[in-house]
Amino acid sequence: IRKPVIDAALPFATITQVRIGVFVLSALSAFFGGISAFVVWYTVIRTAKYGTVDSHLSSFNNNSTITQLNDSEDWQSALNSVALDKQQYYAFIVIGVILSIYTLFSVFGFIGSIFRKRALVALYSTVLWFLLGANLGIAIYMSYSAIRRRNDLANQCANDAKNNQDNFIADGQNKITSAACDAASKIGIAVYIIVSVLQLLIQLYCCIIVKRYVEQLTEEQGFKQHVAGNRVAKDAGAYGSYYPHQPLTNQHELGPYPYAQPDHSFGAKV
C-alpha cells in the first residue's frame, strides 16, 4: 500500500501561495458569479412578470415590429428597457441556474480555503473543470459558426453600409466597401479566437491551482492518519513503519528509525 508522502522539499512559500490563490480565486468567483446570477434572475423575473417580446408583439397587428413595441410607453416603463424574446428567456433561465450553482460552489471553495476542508475545495475544483470543458465546447462551436458564416456577415455589413446614408461621401460613393467588410469579418473572427484561447488558458491555470491545493490537503490528511496509526502502535509497544517526513537522525513522534542506529547500520558487527 502506498503511503501518503508530503514533499518536504516543497517550499512553504509555494504551499502558502497555492492556498492564497484558491482563497482569492474563490472569493472573486463568488462575488462576480453572485452579481451575474442576480442580474440574470432579475431579468428573468421581470420578463416573467410583464411578458416576453413575442407575447407583446402578438397583441399588436401582424405588421408590428420590435421598434413599435419598444416605443410603447407601458412596455418601456414596465420592463425598464429589458426585453427578451421567448428563446432568450429560456436561455437566461439556464444561464441563471448555472451561475447560481457556480456561485454556491465558489462559496464552498472559499470556506474550504479558510478552514482547510478538502471536500469543499474538491467540489469547487470539480465545478471549475466542468466549466472549463463547457467553455471549450462553446468556444469551438462559436468559432466554427463564425467561420462558416463569415461571408454572410460580410454581406450583411455591406448591405447595412449601403442603407446608411451617413456612409456616403460627396461623390456618391460609399465609404465602407465590400472589401472593408470582408477584412473586418476576418479580423473580428481572429480577435474572438485569440481572446477565447487566452480565456481558456487562464481558466486552465486556475483549475490547476485549485487541483494542486486539493492534492496538498489530501496528502496532509493522509499524513495525519498515518501519524495517528503509528501512535496507536507505539502505545502498544511496537514501532510503526518508517515515514520519512523528518531527517533520520531526529527522534520524532513516530519513533526512531532502527536502521539509522549504529548497531543496525550496514557493516556493523553483532
Side-chain angles (χ1 to χ4, degrees), residues 149-221:
R149 297 183 61 247
R150 187 183 66 80
N151 293 331
D152 295 337
L153 295 174
N155 293 333
Q156 182 180 357
C157 169
N159 293 332
D160 292 340
K162 291 179 181 179
N163 297 328
N164 191 346
Q165 298 296 328
D166 296 334
N167 293 330
F168 290 95
I169 55 181
D171 57 358
Q173 295 181 354
N174 199 316
K175 294 184 294 185
I176 302 178
T177 63
S178 299
C181 288
D182 185 68
S185 64
K186 292 180 179 179
I187 294 175
I189 293 174
V191 170
Y192 173 77
I193 293 176
I194 293 174
V195 172
S196 298
V197 171
L198 292 177
Q199 178 184 0
L200 290 172
L201 290 176
I202 294 174
Q203 286 184 313
L204 176 61
Y205 180 70
C206 294
C207 291
I208 292 175
I209 290 178
V210 179
K211 180 176 179 292
R212 286 185 61 186
Y213 189 53
V214 173
E215 293 174 350
Q216 176 190 331
L217 293 178
T218 302
E219 292 173 351
E220 290 179 358
Q221 288 184 0

Side-chain angles (χ1 to χ4, degrees), residues 101-173:
I101 296 175
Y102 175 66
T103 302
L104 177 62
F105 280 78
S106 297
V107 173
F108 288 164
F110 179 75
I111 297 174
S113 65
I114 295 177
F115 298 102
R116 305 174 72 88
K117 299 296 184 182
R118 177 192 173 279
L120 296 180
V121 180
L123 287 175
Y124 178 53
S125 177
T126 302
V127 171
L128 286 182
W129 284 105
F130 172 78
L131 289 178
L132 176 63
N135 287 333
L136 176 61
I138 292 173
I140 294 175
Y141 174 76
M142 295 297 293
S143 299
Y144 170 76
S145 299
I147 293 174
R148 189 183 62 176
R149 297 183 61 247
R150 187 183 66 80
N151 293 331
D152 295 337
L153 295 174
N155 293 333
Q156 182 180 357
C157 169
N159 293 332
D160 292 340
K162 291 179 181 179
N163 297 328
N164 191 346
Q165 298 296 328
D166 296 334
N167 293 330
F168 290 95
I169 55 181
D171 57 358
Q173 295 181 354

